[in-house]
Amino acid sequence: GNSVTQMEGPVTLSEEAFLTINCTYTATGYPSLFWYVQYPGEGLQLLLKATKADDKGSNKGFEATYRKETTSFHLEKGSVQVSDSAVYFCALISGGSNYKLTFGKGTLLTVNP
Amino acid sequence: DADVTQTPRNRITKTGKRIMLECSQTKGHDRMYWYRQDPGLGLRLIYYSFDVKDINKGEISDGYSVSRQAQAKFSLSLESAIPNQTALYFCATSDAGQPGANVLTFGAGSRLTVL
């Protein structure tokens, strides 16, 4: 079956530090990959996505590249801000699962001023 | 108004009580989902519905039931609540769209505490 493994948190950084949150996956077929973000007290919202190998998703300074050879989709940002403090979820959809999202367990990021 | 509205936002109840969480959407999406979020476990799918006449169990459907009253409405019921159902519940919707491009829109969540 499908599964997503992401680095365990919490991750604590200072403002303007470089961020990497690792995500690897197991899936049947050719999955689409996503990063969702959950700000405190809110629901999840899509941060970025990639639908095929070597695609790079990007949004709000965050980037992630779909690496089929390493089955990875690591999230990066060059300079984090306090407002980036949130929980980040890696997720995938594969046609073999009737298009249901499979989520990782989430990584809590705290950015200090 | 929010695209996906959940009610109630917070609920405290007692063991054995029947609880209904409601979800309505203005996205016009066919697909609706109920997820449960627990610390350290991420999100787990309880039920999903691809249209009004199509309802399916997810990973953790035991102890839950759902009703798809209309395209825009999808309710989750706990027939007899128990303390380990204390969690944050999310409703989500998606367009059928292009396979592989499926993006979920989430509600703000319903926090349920069962004493």
Side-chain angles (χ1 to χ4, degrees):
Chain A
N2 297 335
S3 67
V4 175
T5 303
Q6 60 182 102
M7 64 185 286
E8 297 201 11
V11 174
T12 303
L13 297 173
S14 296
E15 205 164 23
E16 299 184 1
F18 184 84
L19 168 71
T20 299
I21 301 177
N22 290 336
C23 172
T24 57
Y25 67 89
T26 303
T28 57
Y30 300 94
S32 292
L33 303 173
F34 306 82
W35 278 100
Y36 280 80
V37 58
Q38 183 182 27
Y39 297 105
E42 299 182 12
L44 282 73
Q45 56 186 274
L46 180 69
L47 180 61
L48 54 84
K49 66 177 183 178
T51 57
K52 61 183 187 295
D54 299 325
D55 270 1
K56 177 184 284 187
S58 62
N59 186 25
K60 298 182 181 179
F62 290 89
E63 294 183 341
T65 301
Y66 188 145
R67 302 289 188 196
K68 187 170 183 289
E69 64 276 11
T70 55
T71 62
S72 65
F73 192 55
H74 305 322
L75 182 68
E76 297 182 336
K77 186 174 186 181
S79 176
V80 294
Q81 305 301 311
V82 172
S83 58
D84 293 327
S85 297
V87 181
Y88 292 82
F89 293 91
C90 186
L92 70 83
I93 278 181
S94 172
S97 64
N98 291 326
Y99 312 115
K100 301 186 310 291
L101 268 179
T102 298
F103 285 91
K105 294 183 178 181
T107 302
L108 173 63
L109 169 67
T110 301
V111 180
N112 295 318
Chain B
D1 289 342
D3 293 328
V4 181
T5 302
Q6 293 184 232
T7 56
R9 292 294 312 279
N10 289 283
R11 181 71 182 269
I12 300 173
T13 191
K14 296 181 178 180
T15 297
K17 294 292 186 181
R18 184 177 187 273
I19 294 297
M20 179 180 286
L21 305 180
E22 298 186 343
C23 177
S24 63
Q25 54 118 342
T26 58
K27 299 285 288 183
H29 288 165
D30 288 324
R31 299 179 174 184
M32 298 187 74
Y33 309 78
W34 276 103
Y35 283 89
R36 168 178 171 159
Q37 184 181 24
D38 297 277
L41 295 178
L43 274 76
R44 293 179 292 169
L45 183 63
I46 305 172
Y47 270 95
Y48 63 102
S49 171
F50 281 178
D51 66 42
V52 175
K53 296 181 180 179
D54 178 65
I55 293 179
N56 304 278
K57 293 182 178 180
E59 306 167 62
I60 53 164
S61 58
D62 288 349
Y64 301 95
S65 63
V66 291
S67 173
R68 185 82 183 265
Q69 300 96 327
Q71 187 205 37
K73 296 183 182 295
F74 192 39
S75 301
L76 176 71
S77 294
L78 288 68
E79 296 302 325
S80 179
I82 56 176
N84 77 359
Q85 291 176 314
T86 294
L88 184 56
Y89 291 85
F90 286 104
C91 176
T93 73
S94 68
D95 195 1
Q98 174 189 352
N102 208 334
V103 174
L104 269 62
T105 301
F106 283 83
S110 295
R111 183 168 296 282
L112 177 65
T113 303
V114 183
L115 302 176

